[in-house]
Amino acid sequence: MKRSWLTYIIFLLLVMTTTGLKAENGYDLWLRYPLINENSLRSTYIRQLGSVKFAGQSPTLIAAREELLSGLEGLTGRRFAITNNSTRVSPGLIIGNASNEQAVKQLVSPELLRQCGPEGYLITTTKTGPVRIIISANSDIGVLYGVFHFLRLMQTKQSLNNIHIVSAPRLQLRLLNHWDNLNRTVERGYAGFSIWNWHTLPSYIDQRYIDYARANASIGINGTVLTNVNANAMILTPAYLLKVKALADVFRPYGIKVYLTARFSAPIESGGLKTADPLNEEVRQWWKNKAKEIYALIPDFGGFLVKANSEGQPGPQDYKRTHADGANMLAEAVAPFNGIIIWRAFVYAAENPVDRHKQAYDDFVPLDGKFNANVMVQVKNGAIDFMPREPYHPLFGAMPKTPLMMEFQVTQEYLGQSTNLVYLAPLFKEVLDSDTWSNGKGSTVAKVIEGSLNGHILNGMAGVANIGNDLNWCGHPFAQANWYALGRLAWDNSLSSENIADEWIRMSYTNDPRFIQPILKMMLGSRETMVNYMNPLGLHHIMGTGHHYGPAPWVNDQRRPEWNPVYYHKADSIGIGFDRTSTGSNALAQYHPEARSQWESIDRCDEKYLLWFHHVSWNHQMKNGRTLWNELCYRYYEGAEAVKKMQRQWDDIRPLIDKERFEQVRQLLAIQYNEATWWRDACLLYFQTFSRQPFPDGFEKPAQTLDYYKKLRFPYAPGN
Ligand code: GCW
């Protein structure tokens, strides 16, 4: 009897707390400004904000002011009257671009302003006189970034006493790459269709375009490549360029430049020429005219991103020219308008029998120093393809004379697509923190892309977007964190995965430590968990063919050798793994000797990369004493078990957040668990046909036969 009363009361309390939480569909991303429920903090903020003075009238400053107003109103419940007059010397918040607001300039030190650079900002509390908080910058966009940072302080409930923040981006180009097609399908997109509605553009401006710009500006993203790298020349036709212009006009106040992908054969397809040879005068002129036409519409157009001679895309090699010839031709066309060419290094060729791992390096290293000054080469984080774990791309240590741009994949093509919760900042950081040794110890990938190592002026980072027209933008509610992390790391790669996740959780969900602690832990562990149940110990590229969904390590019937998973794992009766040492493909030789020494010897190799670099016998003894086969089993089971734990952690936080997102994530985690066990069982049953060894004692038996897994088909899997 007693117990049932107690249960009833607990239930009632639970209902009360959850119904008190506003319904949330995820559309607002991390730009949520819910009322701060602690009265004392709220009134402290209101007092400190005092009278808000905001100088300036440009579209960017108007956007900043609107954001500030709605943010403050949401968080404090008070509608602040914002005055334009920045000269009044009363306590409160003062905002303005110091380069044209004398009154603001007088309040801040020139040295701090210098540190802000063209895009950075400062947020400081004045030391003398009435207490004033100043948000200032050398540009309007800096002010907008500063306002977002200031709102973040309040969203994460930080103290506004004695603030001293100076923040400037480490990289100039902080881009999203959309692999969006003109018919609105998204290559490797798992969040619905493209957000660009080409059909209704340019006349119809969807509110989403504005909210997209706000979200990007809030994390410092300053460029967007609107179209797929598998490009369609139609985007360069006059009718489409007007649509592009409409988007550029929407994004401009938010500091976001528009870029397009250039199909190398566009002079033929769209210009009616007979050739696209980069050394042909007519072709060169065609691109020059095209650039002129674009810049007449979009004066701040960013430039072109190009995938050439890769996976069937046309390129300069079709005319026996080099990547540099191709890139430089385009570079010349956009140079008069300060445009940039971003040339991708993701190349491998069907006819080339060399280990795919080596091909980009072989193609590009000889071209180092041959690119024009406004060309950047964009390199994927690893040499194969956005795997759950890859060693850093050897090109990062091998092209000192060329500014290299980082390409990460935010969309989870190989990482569970939109049904798996995996937080990618640890993956990004692992790559950025890797040491290439190219200029001695400490030559990290981060320094290479910053350009500081080799004295480059251009620098940047891009992420293949995970955005679509799903209500919550990214499909999985937690996939938003990866968009967020990309922006934050492009701004400042010294931020930790933990800090970024902490901010994101607080802004997207709640500041309640009972939520933050377990969910932070869950996010931080999620990538390693995925590696375990998908690609442990350096396995890679063993996913389903075409759609890349689920496991299919057995596939061996694809036209091109390197499209077959068997090419990558090389399992046989002796062992498993790709020998990339000198006895094998010798891809290791593309790394600096100091860097490769961590992987070279089978016994000393970091086990995270063991099967990436070595073909290892099934009975090889691992560092913990287990045999390789047993360790493989342990990893796969550990991975799946960890997802079960994530499910439990999530169930525990139920009362702390809104029902909608709770329920979405709960269901997705159940799918993730099924997918994790599917990966585990399918892979282990298949590899067992080579190892011919039993599963270690105590492991639950796979639910199905290998044959069952082999027969699974997903003809309509998304993103393909
Ligand atoms: O990862 C592979 C993808 C292709 C993609 C290609 C690339 C856009 O499977 O869908 O094409 O990489 O990065 O160019």
Side-chain angles (χ1 to χ4, degrees):
M1 186 63 184
K2 240 193 191 147
R3 167 168 282 176
S4 68
W5 266 107
L6 203 65
T7 326
Y8 178 71
I9 289 169
I10 292 175
F11 174 74
L12 214 68
L13 280 174
L14 217 72
V15 171
M16 279 161 61
T17 40
T18 44
T19 47
L21 297 162
K22 195 177 134 262
E24 303 242 14
N25 57 27
Y27 181 84
D28 291 340
L29 298 159
W30 48 89
L31 298 178
R32 291 162 64 262
Y33 304 116
L35 186 70
I36 291 167
N37 40 23
E38 298 90 337
N39 290 336
S40 61
L41 181 63
R42 221 169 50 227
S43 27
T44 309
Y45 278 170
I46 291 174
R47 184 168 42 75
Q48 290 175 311
L49 292 163
S51 62
V52 183
K53 296 173 216 59
F54 198 139
Q57 280 301 338
S58 72
T60 299
L61 292 176
I62 290 171
R65 190 176 4 236
E66 274 175 18
E67 195 72 36
L68 183 76
L69 255 184
S70 77
L72 294 186
E73 183 174 4
L75 292 163
T76 67
R78 153 124 20 144
R79 181 112 193 132
F80 282 81
I82 298 195
T83 62
N84 236 325
N85 178 0
S86 55
T87 52
R88 279 174 39 203
V89 198
S90 48
L93 184 61
I94 300 179
I95 303 166
N97 173 351
S99 70
N100 49 31
E101 291 297 331
Q102 246 346 85
V104 178
K105 190 173 181 173
Q106 280 165 12
L107 293 168
V108 290
S109 102
E111 170 51 24
L112 293 186
L113 274 173
R114 198 195 51 76
Q115 289 172 26
C116 293
E119 289 183 291
Y121 53 85
L122 57 86
I123 309 177
T124 51
T125 310
T126 50
K127 300 268 181 315
T128 51
V131 180
R132 286 164 296 180
I133 303 169
I134 324 283
I135 305 175
S136 188
N138 299 309
S139 61
D140 292 352
I141 189 64
V143 173
L144 178 65
Y145 291 148
V147 163
F148 275 116
H149 190 138
F150 184 73
L151 286 169
R152 183 160 76 229
L153 295 177
M154 294 177 67
Q155 287 173 286
T156 56
K157 299 194 180 171
Q158 296 185 48
S159 155
L160 300 183
N161 295 332
N162 298 320
I163 312 177
H164 179 76
I165 294 166
V166 181
S167 185
R170 292 191 177 215
L171 300 175
Q172 288 168 60
L173 270 59
R174 307 177 297 277
L175 308 193
L176 286 181
N177 289 181
H178 287 265
W179 287 356
D180 293 20
N181 298 312
L182 300 187
N183 66 5
R184 294 193 77 178
T185 56
V186 180
E187 183 154 348
R188 312 309 175 186
Y190 310 101
F193 286 92
S194 170
I195 53 173
W196 320 131
N197 189 338
W198 296 110
H199 187 67
T200 56
L201 279 166
S203 314
Y204 185 78
I205 300 300
D206 193 326
Q207 176 63 33
R208 253 196 201 251
Y209 304 150
I210 300 160
D211 292 330
Y212 167 86
R214 287 174 55 232
N216 280 324
S218 77
I219 51 177
I221 285 174
N222 67 356
T224 176
V225 184
L226 300 174
T227 46
N228 191 353
V229 288
N230 289 330
N232 185 334
M234 199 181 287
I235 194 69
L236 302 176
T237 59
Y240 273 87
L241 288 177
L242 285 178
K243 299 168 192 275
V244 174
K245 170 188 162 39
L247 289 175
D249 290 343
V250 173
F251 300 157
R252 188 167 298 111
Y254 296 89
I256 297 165
K257 283 188 183 178
V258 155
Y259 298 70
L260 292 174
T261 47
R263 185 160 165 89
F264 202 77
S265 51
I268 304 175
E269 286 153 33
S270 153
L273 301 189
K274 294 247 156 34
T275 174
D277 181 347
L279 300 191
N280 175 291
E281 250 336 293
E282 265 186 300
V283 172
R284 298 174 80 83
Q285 196 53 48
W286 188 87
W287 281 110
K288 282 182 184 156
N289 295 344
K290 190 47 74 182
K292 214 165 163 189
E293 181 188 343
I294 296 174
Y295 280 94
L297 291 170
I298 310 165
D300 55 354
F301 179 69
F304 293 121
L305 169 67
V306 189
K307 170 176 178 178
N309 294 117
S310 170
E311 299 186 327
Q313 292 300 301
Q317 292 177 341
D318 303 348
Y319 307 94
K320 308 229 168 342
R321 315 295 185 198
T322 68
H323 285 289
D325 294 329
N328 293 343
M329 169 194 61
L330 293 174
E332 235 174 72
V334 298
F337 314 98
N338 296 322
I340 283 176
I341 299 304
I342 305 169
W343 195 268
R344 293 177 90 227
F346 178 71
V347 295
Y348 62 96
E351 317 73 45
N352 192 345
V354 168
D355 177 3
R356 173 173 162 188
H357 198 294
K358 298 171 68 175
Q359 295 187 25
Y361 181 105
D362 291 347
D363 260 13
F364 277 84
V365 170
L367 301 176
D368 192 24
K370 302 218 162 88
F371 292 97
N372 286 11
N374 59 335
V375 176
M376 300 196 69
V377 171
Q378 181 166 296
V379 183
K380 286 189 183 183
N381 58 270
I384 298 297
D385 200 1
F386 300 136
M387 296 293 116
R389 168 166 282 128
E390 287 196 48
Y392 68 89
H393 202 305
L395 275 178
F396 287 116
M399 292 188 72
K401 296 188 197 128
T402 311
L404 300 181
M405 183 150 162
M406 172 61 76
E407 179 174 321
F408 283 127
Q409 194 179 46
V410 186
T411 191
Q412 293 165 229
E413 174 178 2
Y414 302 101
L415 289 99
Q417 306 188 349
S418 65
T419 47
N420 285 208
L421 188 163
V422 54
Y423 173 52
L424 298 179
L427 185 163
F428 300 160
K429 290 284 291 184
E430 185 174 279
V431 177
L432 292 167
D433 293 344
S434 299
D435 198 345
T436 68
W437 284 87
S438 52
N439 269 6
K441 191 170 168 48
S443 308
T444 59
V445 173
K447 285 189 190 157
V448 172
I449 63 163
E450 280 173 13
S452 53
L453 204 61
N454 302 304
H456 296 302
I457 297 162
L458 284 177
N459 55 21
M461 181 189 291
V464 180
N466 62 351
I467 297 161
N469 70 350
D470 272 7
L471 195 50
N472 70 6
W473 303 84
C474 301
H476 198 302
F478 275 72
Q480 297 177 352
N482 297 330
W483 175 7
Y484 185 82
L486 189 274
R488 299 289 287 129
L489 284 173
W491 184 276
D492 181 0
N493 59 54
S494 74
L495 293 171
S496 73
S497 303
E498 186 169 352
N499 278 343
I500 296 170
D502 182 82
E503 280 175 2
W504 178 82
I505 294 173
R506 288 171 185 273
M507 292 193 285
S508 307
Y509 286 91
T510 167
N511 283 285
D512 187 335
R514 292 171 303 166
F515 183 84
I516 298 169
Q517 273 168 23
I519 300 312
L520 187 62
K521 222 164 129 199
M522 177 174 98
M523 286 174 75
L524 290 174
S526 59
R527 187 275 187 124
E528 209 57 50
T529 289
M530 165 163 290
V531 167
N532 279 337
Y533 66 74
M534 278 188 183
N535 288 186
L537 303 173
L539 284 174
H540 53 286
H541 213 287
I542 54 174
M543 68 290 157
T545 296
H547 48 61
H548 298 171
Y549 172 64
W554 45 80
V555 170
N556 64 359
D557 59 357
Q558 294 299 297
R559 187 163 49 82
R560 294 171 58 152
E562 75 290 334
W563 281 356
N564 291 291
V566 296
Y567 172 92
Y568 298 93
H569 64 68
K570 303 207 185 304
D572 57 23
S573 60
I574 296 161
I576 181 170
F578 199 132
D579 181 1
R580 293 193 164 108
T581 68
S582 55
T583 54
S585 80
N586 208 15
L588 263 173
Q590 296 181 337
Y591 291 94
H592 188 280
E594 291 286 352
R596 70 173 179 254
S597 68
Q598 62 186 310
W599 299 312
E600 218 155 24
S601 119
I602 203 166
D603 293 313
R604 285 191 300 111
C605 180
D606 182 344
E607 288 180 350
K608 292 203 282 275
Y609 301 100
L610 187 64
L611 306 181
W612 192 284
F613 289 116
H614 298 275
H615 190 73
V616 184
S617 85
W618 294 112
N619 291 322
H620 168 86
Q621 198 183 353
M622 303 294 289
K623 290 182 182 133
N624 61 13
R626 289 187 190 126
T627 64
L628 171 66
W629 166 250
N630 280 352
E631 181 66 4
L632 207 58
C633 295
Y634 270 96
R635 292 295 178 109
Y636 270 111
Y637 275 86
E638 204 174 290
E641 268 316 293
V643 180
K644 205 183 259 173
K645 194 159 157 222
M646 289 163 77
Q647 288 183 282
R648 285 199 298 269
Q649 283 169 325
W650 189 252
D651 286 340
D652 287 346
I653 55 78
R654 177 183 218 126
L656 306 175
I657 60 159
D658 53 285
K659 176 155 115 260
E660 291 74 13
R661 289 182 300 169
F662 172 79
E663 191 50 34
Q664 284 171 6
V665 175
R666 188 192 65 75
Q667 293 186 57
L668 288 164
L669 283 171
I671 296 178
Q672 186 169 355
Y673 180 67
N674 286 337
E675 292 180 349
T677 53
W678 168 31
W679 269 93
R680 176 193 76 193
D681 294 347
C683 291
L684 286 178
L685 283 172
Y686 169 71
F687 292 136
Q688 190 179 37
T689 64
F690 300 97
S691 80
R692 305 198 169 277
Q693 298 191 32
F695 290 13
D697 288 342
F699 284 152
E700 148 203 357
K701 292 279 158 292
Q704 305 287 348
T705 62
L706 177 57
D707 204 43
Y708 166 88
Y709 295 119
K710 282 185 169 176
K711 286 200 177 116
L712 293 174
R713 291 290 177 274
F714 306 94
Y716 302 117
N720 191 13

